[in-house]
Amino acid sequence: MELRDIEIFLTLAEELHFGRTAERLYVSQARVSQAIKSQEAQIGGALFERSSRRVILTPLGERLRDDLADGYGAIIAGVAKARESARGAVGTLRLGVMGSDSGMFIDLLDEFRRRNPGAELETREITFSDAFGPLRRGEVDAAVVWKPVWDPDLTVGPTVFTCGRVFAVWKGHPLADRESISLEDLADHLIGDPVGGPEHWMDGMIPRHTPSGRPIPRSGPRPSTFSELLALVAGRRSAMVAGSPATFYGGHPGVVFVPIADAPPLEYALVWRTANAGPLVGAFADACRAPWPEGSPDV
């Protein structure tokens, strides 16, 4: 029995009228009659009792209707789901990114677009001083920020990229000519304390203590953007800890980035408001979980 014939049978079983069934399915009444006669011939019994005044199901027809209804519904739902998957998510995803961090996961952005040809992707700059504000104000749908994020209204999704850390100092700074430094070195130099989000989140970038327990001083001017941070460092007013991508996109003639060799890797994750999760955010999270062609985009 063809799927179309099953559809005709189930529709007639609901309408109990050949004319209405034909109109509903956009076929001729003769096509409906032909399909029912063919089914009855294959089964070997009448499915409907017909008269000039009414159409009713026979007991055999009732059993067939009950047996076919759930299976037909599952088939239609499966086909619809497959079509939706093939089309991908649709709409516009607004992704919050700090500075030029999107340069660290260009391949991921391309993968999202490949998987979801009906979707648009907009990257919008956010700053460390208000990294979560745009999420809560509905200005972006998701953001890529370093971990940890413990805010109860936010969901932390998959890792987008990982990187090391650098110490941004001015040319001529005592550490500027070093190939690398250790976290212990930070205890001996004044570090700026940027305006930022929750304390635990800022501590994820700039620890409060060295591995041996020595306090790392944080005071002085408080930048709220990366450009302000670079200006303060170049002006010899502050030194700063930053993610290693700053080496690539944060160039400044008066600033030197020295790797912090023993700093634990920074994980940047996809984060969104739990109450604002949707298909587009889910589609981007799925793209994040997909294997990278040449491994994880670690820096």
Side-chain angles (χ1 to χ4, degrees):
M1 189 181 293
E2 299 290 335
L3 187 62
R4 183 60 163 168
D5 289 341
I6 294 175
E7 182 182 31
I8 289 173
F9 167 74
L10 290 174
T11 304
L12 182 58
E14 181 181 337
E15 294 287 350
L16 297 176
H17 192 283
F18 280 79
R20 288 197 298 270
T21 298
E23 291 176 2
R24 180 169 157 183
L25 298 179
Y26 300 99
V27 298
S28 67
Q29 192 167 324
R31 173 71 176 88
V32 176
S33 297
Q34 179 186 20
I36 298 302
K37 288 178 182 178
S38 176
Q39 292 168 36
E40 290 176 331
Q42 292 177 45
I43 292 170
L47 300 175
F48 295 90
E49 290 183 8
R50 312 156 176 84
S51 71
S52 58
R53 291 183 296 176
R54 66 176 186 168
V55 176
I56 62 173
L57 282 162
T58 65
L60 178 62
E62 289 178 347
R63 287 198 299 273
L64 182 62
R65 176 200 59 195
D66 295 342
D67 289 341
L68 291 179
D70 289 344
Y72 177 77
I75 291 171
I76 296 303
V79 171
K81 187 175 181 179
R83 285 175 177 162
E84 182 177 336
S85 296
R87 185 170 60 249
V90 295
T92 299
L93 175 67
R94 301 164 301 167
L95 183 65
V97 179
M98 286 186 283
S100 301
D101 279 357
S102 59
M104 305 307 301
F105 50 94
I106 290 294
D107 289 346
L108 173 57
L109 303 180
D110 290 341
E111 176 67 8
F112 172 79
R113 293 185 177 104
R114 184 191 67 77
R115 288 167 168 248
N116 304 276
E120 296 289 335
L121 177 61
E122 296 179 358
T123 57
R124 301 191 176 182
E125 185 175 7
I126 59 176
T127 64
F128 54 76
S129 60
D130 189 31
F132 306 110
L135 279 173
R136 294 186 170 113
R137 294 191 295 269
E139 297 167 4
V140 298
D141 305 302
V144 178
V145 298
W146 69 75
K147 295 166 63 174
V149 177
W150 296 336
D151 302 59
D153 61 326
L154 301 178
T155 294
V156 181
T159 297
V160 177
F161 70 95
T162 62
C163 66
R165 267 172 272 201
V166 295
F167 195 34
V169 297
W170 59 86
K171 288 185 177 180
H173 186 280
L175 300 178
D177 293 331
R178 298 265 294 271
E179 289 187 5
S180 66
I181 62 171
S182 72
L183 287 171
E184 292 295 333
D185 290 316
L186 299 183
D188 300 321
H189 299 274
L190 189 64
I191 298 176
D193 189 14
V195 175
E199 185 173 296
H200 75 269
W201 185 66
M202 294 305 297
D203 290 350
M205 175 64 75
I206 311 172
R208 294 282 176 178
H209 297 86
T210 70
S212 69
R214 299 168 65 202
I216 297 176
R218 283 161 53 174
S219 63
R222 307 194 70 199
S224 58
T225 68
F226 194 70
S227 295
E228 291 178 9
L229 182 154
L230 290 176
L232 288 170
V233 173
R236 303 186 174 212
R237 299 181 60 199
S238 184
M240 296 287 179
V241 175
S244 59
T247 303
F248 304 113
Y249 64 74
H252 191 288
V255 178
V256 177
F257 297 102
V258 184
I260 305 174
D262 58 347
L266 278 174
E267 279 191 62
Y268 283 71
L270 185 70
V271 175
W272 61 89
R273 282 187 63 228
T274 303
N276 196 40
L280 285 165
V281 173
F284 195 85
D286 288 342
C288 293
R289 297 184 184 101
W292 284 77
E294 298 181 2
S296 176
D298 298 345
V299 177

